[in-house]
Amino acid sequence: MVLRCQVEVLYFAKSAEIAGIRSETISVPQEIKALQLWNEIEARHPGLADVRNQVIFAVRQEYVELGDQVLQLRSGDEIAIIPPISGG
Amino acid sequence: LLISSREGLKEVEESAKEIIKFTTEKLSIDEASQLVISPLCGAVSLFVGTTRNNFEGKKVISLEYEAYLPMAENEIRKICSDIRQKWPVRHIAVFHRLGLVPVSEASIIIAVSSAHRAASLQAVSYAIDTLKAKVPIWKKEMYEESSSSWKRNKECFWTTSD
């Protein structure tokens, strides 16, 4: 059985425009590779396919690339979709 | 901070300050400078980033910034502690403007004080380069012909500029 949890997904800049929302709570496996997590998010918002090669996650405010790294998630965790940055 | 003692006026070791501010209000260079000035320091170095009115021939009419606030602040704190590992600086202030910013106004001010100028000059340069690479802040340019574009810093650490 796959244990699941409720995480808060935050969208910024172009990803927020594509998703049409700034945040949502979704149910995901507690143990999931970063890339699989992206695929679950992209399934909810297919338009995000346009930016998948440009974005990075921030999981609990730490950067994680969309790769094979296994994330251990807990309910309430914050996962931000970070498009290329342009501060300064 | 000054206190009286039997020896007369004696300087208290003031603790190092880091002031990080995100605001939709106009940034004040004077305020940033005053915050880092210290009687122990002979130098205040400042970087002021301002908004340009053109991009690749297109006229920029306004710019809008947004940030992932708690993380942006944490990332700037990491930059401050990196700076303290590298250079003997006293105080650091980083202001970033958010929301709509008219052309020619400051979007960022970084102010650093140090006993001697080399440390604060290098620290300011490191701070803006690292901020552009790592801090989750976004800028959207709105052009005259009612189009717009989210920008990408060439320093952004996970993308290669094309």
Side-chain angles (χ1 to χ4, degrees):
Chain A
M1 193 184 103
V2 178
L3 293 172
R4 298 180 77 87
C5 59
Q6 304 281 322
V7 297
E8 181 84 358
V9 182
L10 307 180
Y11 300 90
F12 291 98
K14 193 172 184 179
S15 72
E17 286 183 356
I18 293 171
I21 48 172
R22 296 211 150 258
S23 68
E24 65 182 334
T25 304
I26 67 172
S27 170
V28 294
Q30 284 181 4
E31 200 176 287
I32 187 170
K33 286 183 181 174
L35 190 56
Q36 288 169 338
L37 176 61
W38 172 263
N39 290 338
E40 298 223 0
I41 292 168
E42 196 184 293
R44 304 174 71 89
H45 307 283
L48 289 173
D50 286 352
V51 294
R52 68 179 292 151
N53 295 323
Q54 302 161 29
V55 300
I56 193 167
F57 281 135
V59 178
R60 296 180 293 261
Q61 297 186 33
E62 294 292 336
Y63 288 117
V64 178
E65 293 191 35
L66 309 191
D68 288 334
Q69 184 179 334
V70 176
L71 307 174
Q72 307 287 344
L73 300 174
R74 297 179 298 271
S75 277
D77 278 354
E78 206 169 80
I79 294 160
I81 313 297
I82 312 281
I85 51 176
S86 40
Chain B
L1 261 172
L2 294 169
I3 57 159
S4 298
S5 73
R6 259 180 302 181
E7 293 79 35
L9 284 177
K10 181 182 156 196
E11 206 145 17
V12 171
E13 187 75 354
E14 39 164 23
S15 55
K17 284 186 295 186
E18 278 149 27
I19 307 103
I20 299 166
K21 182 167 88 171
F22 291 90
T23 177
T24 55
E25 307 289 309
K26 196 169 178 173
L27 302 183
S28 161
I29 296 168
D30 213 42
E31 183 191 350
S33 170
Q34 288 300 323
L35 279 169
V36 301
I37 274 177
S38 157
L40 302 171
C41 290
V44 171
S45 298
L46 289 161
F47 172 78
V48 181
T50 54
T51 50
R52 263 192 304 262
N53 72 350
N54 66 89
F55 174 72
E56 290 179 351
K58 285 184 281 193
K59 189 170 180 198
V60 177
I61 49 172
S62 64
L63 303 97
E64 199 166 357
Y65 282 91
E66 67 175 70
Y68 178 13
L69 268 189
M71 181 172 174
E73 187 174 334
N74 286 342
E75 290 293 317
I76 293 174
R77 292 209 182 279
K78 288 183 195 170
I79 295 172
C80 292
S81 65
D82 289 348
I83 285 172
R84 294 189 186 285
Q85 301 281 316
K86 291 168 183 282
W87 298 284
V89 304
R90 195 78 204 157
H91 304 307
I92 306 171
V94 179
F95 295 173
H96 204 295
R97 182 103 176 245
L98 295 177
L100 220 52
V101 182
V103 163
S104 298
E105 290 193 4
S107 53
I108 186 165
I109 299 174
I110 299 173
V112 180
S113 57
S114 56
H116 305 285
R117 71 180 181 281
S120 58
L121 281 169
Q122 290 170 49
V124 163
S125 179
Y126 173 86
I128 182 62
D129 288 349
T130 312
L131 181 141
K132 281 178 167 282
K134 292 191 175 163
V135 180
I137 302 171
W138 298 270
K139 174 172 75 174
K140 186 184 192 176
E141 288 180 348
M142 271 77 84
Y143 305 114
E144 201 171 34
E145 65 274 24
S146 71
S147 62
S148 65
S149 170
W150 288 102
K151 309 300 288 181
R152 173 202 308 202
N153 289 337
K154 66 178 190 299
E155 297 88 350
C156 177
F157 77 88
W158 66 92
T159 62
T160 47
S161 41
D162 40 26

